[in-house]
C-alpha cells in the first residue's frame, strides 16, 4: 500500500476541479474586473484545497484510490510478465490465477460479514500469485536451459573422456575441459533439483488456494481459516529469494557447454 498518499495531489487532479480551473481562468480573462474574478476564484480554491482536501472523508477516499492504482499497476506488470510464458508454464500459471480470482471474490463477500479479522487479505493473495508467476518464469528458464544442455548426453561425453584415460597425463587443456564439463554437469543437476523445488512450491500454492476456496463459503462469521496462509507466504518469499539468487543470467550461462 502506498505510504501517505497526498490528498492535495488527488484533489488538484480531480476532473471536476480541473474543469473549474479552466472556467475560472476563462472567466477571469473575459471579465471586466480581472482582479475581482481572480480574487474570488483564489478564495474558492483555498477553501477547496484547505478544507475539502484535508477532510477525513476525502483522505479515506484518497487511500482507497491509491490502493486501487497500486493494484492496477501490479495487474499490468503481472500480465506483461505472464505473456512471456509458454504452453506448459502458462497453463500452470493460469490455474493458479483462476484460483486467485475465485478466492478474491469469495474473500470480498465473506469480509463484508466477518466478525473476526481474516488471516488472508487481497494484498497477501496478490503476493502469492506473483510468487507463482516468478516460479513459472524460473521453471521456464530452467527447462529451456536443460533442453539445450541435456545432462544425460553430457555425462556420456564425460564418461568417454574418462574411459580414454586421464586426460591430464598428456593434455592439460583437455584436462581443464574435462573439469569444466564435470562442473557444468553438477550445476545443471542443481538446476534440475531447483526445478523440483519450484514444482513442489507451485503444488503447495494450488492446494492452499483450493482449501481457502472451499472453506470461505462455509465459514461462520466468527471462525477462522484452518489454512496457515502466513506460513505459505513465508515459504513463497524464501523460495523467491532463492530464485532471485539463481538469476536468469546464470541459468543462461549454464547453456554454454565446454567442447
Amino acid at each position: 500500500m502506498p505510504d501517505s498518499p497526498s490528498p492535495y495531489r488527488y484533489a488538484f487532479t480531480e476532473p471536476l476541479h480541473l474543469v473549474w480551473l479552466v472556467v475560472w481562468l476563462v472567466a477571469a480573462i473575459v471579465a471586466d474586473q480581472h482582479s475581482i474574478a481572480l480574487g474570488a476564484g483564489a478564495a474558492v480554491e483555498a477553501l477547496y484545497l484547505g478544507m475539502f482536501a484535508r477532510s477525513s472523508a476525502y483522505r479515506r477516499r484518497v487511500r482507497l484510490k491509491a490502493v486501487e492504482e497500486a493494484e492496477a499497476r501490479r495487474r499490468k506488470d503481472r500480465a506483461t510478465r505472464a505473456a512471456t510464458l509458454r504452453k506448459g508454464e502458462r497453463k500452470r500459471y493460469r490455474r493458479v490465477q483462476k484460483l486467485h480470482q475465485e478466492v478474491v471474490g469469495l474473500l470480498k463477500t465473506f469480509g463484508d460479514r466477518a466478525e473476526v479479522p481474516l488471516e488472508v487479505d487481497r494484498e497477501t493473495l496478490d503476493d502469492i500469485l506473483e510468487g507463482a508467476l516468478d516460479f513459472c518464469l524460473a521453471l521456464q528458464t530452467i527447462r529451456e536451459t536443460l533442453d539445450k544442455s541435456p545432462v544425460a548426453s553430457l555425462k556420456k561425453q564425460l564418461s568417454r573422456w574418462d574411459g580414454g584415460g586421464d586426460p591430464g597425463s598428456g593434455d592439460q587443456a583437455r584436462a581443464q575441459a574435462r573439469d569444466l564439463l564435470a562442473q557444468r554437469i553438477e550445476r545443471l543437476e542443481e538446476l534440475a533439483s531447483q526445478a523440483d523445488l519450484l514444482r513442489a512450491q507451485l503444488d503447495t500454492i494450488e492446494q492452499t488456494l483450493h482449501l481457502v476456496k472451499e472453506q470461505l463459503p462455509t465459514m461462520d462469521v466468527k471462525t477462522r481459516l484452518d489454512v496457515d496462509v502466513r506460513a505459505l507466504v513465508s515459504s513463497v518469499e524464501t523460495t523467491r529469494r532463492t530464485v532471485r539468487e539463481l538469476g536468469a543470467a546464470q541459468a543462461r550461462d549454464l547453456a554454454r557447454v565446454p567442447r
Side-chain angles (χ1 to χ4, degrees):
M1 180 176 174
D3 295 329
S4 303
S6 171
Y8 301 105
R9 177 174 67 85
Y10 281 93
F12 188 84
T13 56
E14 289 282 357
L16 288 177
H17 177 252
L18 294 177
V19 171
W20 144 251
L21 285 178
V22 172
V23 172
W24 170 34
L25 292 175
V26 171
I29 292 172
V30 302
D32 292 333
Q33 300 294 327
H34 303 299
S35 59
I36 295 177
L38 286 173
V44 173
E45 187 73 4
L47 288 173
Y48 172 72
L49 293 177
M51 298 182 64
F52 174 73
R54 296 179 61 184
S55 66
S56 57
Y58 189 72
R59 286 179 179 272
R60 285 194 298 271
R61 178 182 171 185
V62 166
R63 285 194 293 270
L64 289 174
K65 189 173 182 179
V67 169
E68 291 172 357
E69 290 177 351
E71 289 178 354
R73 287 193 297 269
R74 293 181 76 174
R75 286 195 299 270
K76 183 178 179 180
D77 178 67
R78 284 197 300 267
T80 300
R81 298 171 65 215
T84 64
L85 291 172
R86 294 181 178 83
K87 184 176 179 180
E89 288 77 17
R90 182 172 65 247
K91 183 177 180 181
R92 183 106 194 222
Y93 174 68
R94 283 180 175 174
R95 289 205 305 267
V96 177
Q97 187 181 39
K98 184 174 183 293
L99 283 169
H100 169 271
Q101 292 171 346
E102 292 170 342
V103 172
V104 166
L106 291 170
L107 187 67
K108 186 179 186 306
T109 301
F110 182 82
D112 293 339
R113 59 187 178 86
E115 296 181 9
V116 295
L118 286 173
E119 298 85 346
V120 61
D121 54 25
R122 175 61 186 271
E123 186 174 359
T124 299
L125 291 172
D126 286 351
D127 287 342
I128 292 173
L129 180 62
E130 289 182 7
L133 178 56
D134 286 343
F135 302 157
C136 288
L137 288 167
L139 268 176
Q140 178 168 281
T141 300
I142 292 173
R143 178 178 55 78
E144 291 173 350
T145 299
L146 295 176
D147 287 346
K148 293 177 182 177
S149 305
V151 175
S153 64
L154 296 180
K155 284 185 174 180
K156 287 181 181 179
Q157 182 180 347
L158 182 63
S159 179
R160 287 196 301 270
W161 285 8
D162 289 342
D166 181 9
S169 59
D171 189 344
Q172 184 176 1
R174 188 178 175 188
Q176 292 175 345
R178 187 266 177 209
D179 291 342
L180 287 173
L181 180 59
Q183 293 173 23
R184 180 71 64 183
I185 291 171
E186 181 180 356
R187 286 183 290 183
L188 287 168
E189 288 178 332
E190 290 175 357
L191 272 185
S193 298
Q194 183 68 36
D196 291 338
L197 172 63
L198 293 174
R199 293 188 190 97
Q201 187 72 79
L202 284 166
D203 287 340
T204 301
I205 289 174
E206 284 193 61
Q207 292 165 8
T208 301
L209 291 179
H210 266 299
L211 287 173
V212 175
K213 174 187 171 183
E214 291 171 355
Q215 284 191 32
L216 280 175
T218 59
M219 281 178 61
D220 183 84
V221 293
K222 296 182 180 181
T223 59
R224 294 180 179 272
L225 287 168
D226 293 333
V227 185
D228 193 348
V229 179
R230 296 298 173 185
L232 173 63
V233 172
S234 177
S235 176
V236 166
E237 185 53 38
T238 299
T239 307
R240 290 176 79 178
R241 285 197 298 269
T242 302
V243 169
R244 286 193 292 267
E245 290 168 2
L246 177 66
Q250 178 185 357
R252 287 192 295 269
D253 288 342
L254 288 170
R256 295 199 293 267
V257 183
R259 301 297 180 185

